[in-house]
Amino acid sequence: QRIPLLLEEIDKPVVAKIHGAAVGAGLDMALMCDVRIAGESASMSESYFNAGIVPGDGGAYFLPRLVGRDKARTLKGKEAADLGLVTHCVPDEELDTFVENYMKKILEAPQQAMRLTKRAVLQGEQSTLRASLDLISSFMGIVTELDDYRQRTSALVAKMQRKAQ
């Protein structure tokens, strides 16, 4: 049970690529991730009942938070996306390319702002609005001192000025 706790502590987004069957602990591993990208033919199921056991790897925690208590059944890619179990569902033959491009965007993003945003979202799920806003205020003080902020803000201003002309 250390894995779900460790994944929650990773400040960078954790992405699961789902192709084929994600069943039991395999699905639990995907549920622990921040983003799940599935091929259309992917099949996802918490099948612990069939083995006479309970979901010991976080499935009972993550699954209801993603799709609700009453949706725990075998789902295919598109249906899983429609229910919010997966973030993106793409044709099987495009899965590798899609995930690669998705990861490139993550790697090109301002890393410190991304880490702090992930931390704020996780903390916000367990705190009050006031505590969440206080945390964000602290994080804003950090990121506005970084080069990423200055460079990206300047680029946005320049882009808006070009559009205005």
Side-chain angles (χ1 to χ4, degrees):
Q1 295 180 349
R2 285 184 275 174
I3 293 172
L5 296 171
L6 287 171
L7 286 177
E8 185 178 49
E9 291 300 316
I10 294 173
D11 283 336
K12 292 184 178 184
V14 179
V15 178
K17 177 170 72 170
I18 306 168
H19 54 90
V23 179
L27 178 57
D28 288 352
M29 289 294 294
L31 296 176
M32 295 173 203
C33 296
D34 300 302
V35 175
R36 287 158 303 286
I37 303 171
E40 287 176 327
S41 68
S43 176
M44 291 148 267
S45 175
E46 290 283 5
S47 62
Y48 291 99
F49 298 136
N50 296 337
I53 58 176
V54 296
D57 296 314
Y61 177 85
F62 294 109
L63 188 61
R65 283 169 169 75
L66 290 169
V67 299
R69 287 191 237 168
D70 60 338
K71 305 289 190 302
R73 63 183 186 281
T74 300
L75 300 169
K76 292 289 188 181
K78 174 87 170 81
E79 184 182 19
D82 291 344
L83 289 175
L85 181 65
V86 297
T87 313
H88 300 284
C89 177
V90 298
D92 292 333
E93 62 276 4
E94 296 174 21
L95 182 60
D96 290 337
T97 302
F98 185 91
V99 171
E100 226 174 274
N101 291 333
Y102 193 91
M103 296 304 297
K104 283 179 186 174
K105 288 179 185 176
I106 288 174
L107 292 171
E108 292 168 358
Q111 296 299 300
Q112 187 64 12
M114 183 173 45
R115 287 183 190 105
L116 292 174
T117 300
K118 178 178 175 179
R119 182 62 35 215
V121 169
L122 291 173
Q123 293 297 320
E125 290 175 336
Q126 301 173 17
S127 67
T128 64
L129 175 59
R130 181 168 305 282
S132 179
L133 293 173
D134 288 346
L135 182 64
I136 286 294
S137 293
S138 299
F139 287 174
M140 188 64 78
I142 294 169
V143 297
T144 55
E145 295 298 318
L146 300 174
D147 286 339
D148 270 340
Y149 168 77
R150 286 188 279 280
Q151 292 168 0
R152 288 172 181 263
T153 303
S154 294
L156 286 172
V157 169
K159 183 177 178 179
M160 292 179 81
Q161 288 172 341
R162 284 191 303 273
K163 282 186 177 182
Q165 295 174 353

